[in-house]
Amino acid sequence: MPCTADVRGGFARAALGIGLLTAGPAANPDPSPAPQVSPGDLRSDGPTQPAKMQGGQYTDANGDPTYHVTEGGKKVDWYTMSGYLRYNANCIVCHGPDGMGLTYAPSLVDALKGMGYAHFSGVVSGGKKDVNASQELVMPAFGDNWNVMCYLPDIYTYLRARSDRAVGRNRPAEHEAKPAAFAKAEDACMK
């Protein structure tokens, strides 16, 4: 059994990750004003269109993380690329390649069609259990796993792009540069 300090540390890290994420996943810790982005620069492949970009993170009209995919799906924003990498490091074992699901874990590509970021982050951080007469599906809680919680908006962004068919299966061909705000938020979360 982990000592109390370890448990509290895990919850503190999860809270920090969630705090960073709900404030705008990579809420720009740099106090300088955000560069102005024209609406034309926000145009993305796929049905979900970004409404805003701050610190390299695109968000929709509701403030949920979203993707910025261009060049016919060949180029993605940094968060979508990071989400692809983090998904493959943490989620692929149960949910299969490209979020398509396996016999014992559902397709996240399908699940995200009706799931907002708040619901997604709640399930990932707190876990989920679905039991019926024929099966028991259990999603473990990842609320104390920095490798998931610090990158939760990235994973959501990647899966959202997959769900909207803005990106195909496999690794995106190109991506935008890693924003300085991402690196700062990552360092803060992983401490």
Side-chain angles (χ1 to χ4, degrees):
M1 171 135 191
C3 74
T4 306
D6 289 342
V7 171
R8 269 186 272 153
F11 286 124
R13 288 188 297 274
L16 172 61
I18 292 170
L20 285 171
L21 305 174
T22 57
N28 192 353
D30 184 2
S32 60
Q36 295 297 321
V37 179
S38 72
D41 292 338
L42 292 176
R43 183 78 181 120
S44 180
D45 296 349
T48 303
Q49 294 299 308
K52 179 174 136 180
M53 190 273 284
Q54 182 176 355
Q57 172 68 64
Y58 296 85
T59 54
D60 65 14
N62 296 325
D64 286 346
T66 196
Y67 53 85
H68 184 246
V69 178
T70 57
E71 300 177 19
K74 293 180 184 173
K75 186 172 184 179
V76 300
D77 60 284
W78 174 258
Y79 287 82
T80 300
M81 185 65 200
S82 174
Y84 168 83
L85 296 171
R86 292 299 167 168
Y87 175 87
N88 282 287
N90 297 288
C91 313
I92 192 172
V93 173
C94 294
H95 293 282
D98 308 306
M100 298 299 290
L102 295 171
T103 57
Y104 53 88
S107 164
L108 296 177
V109 170
D110 294 336
L112 253 69
K113 289 187 187 311
M115 187 183 298
Y117 181 67
H119 185 201
F120 176 81
S121 62
V123 170
V124 174
S125 63
K128 183 178 178 181
K129 188 173 187 176
D130 290 332
V131 179
N132 63 41
S134 64
Q135 63 183 354
E136 180 176 337
L137 300 174
V138 177
M139 166 75 180
F142 285 92
D144 61 353
N145 183 332
W146 288 2
N147 288 313
V148 173
M149 297 309 296
C150 290
Y151 303 94
L152 196 56
D154 311 19
I155 296 168
Y156 177 81
T157 299
Y158 164 68
L159 291 170
R160 189 175 194 185
R162 288 281 301 124
S163 180
D164 283 355
R165 298 179 191 252
V167 295
R169 299 188 73 176
N170 302 316
R171 183 184 179 105
E174 296 178 44
H175 59 80
E176 295 173 2
K178 181 178 184 178
F182 178 94
K184 288 180 183 178
E186 181 178 42
D187 288 346
C189 188
M190 290 300 247
K191 287 185 181 181

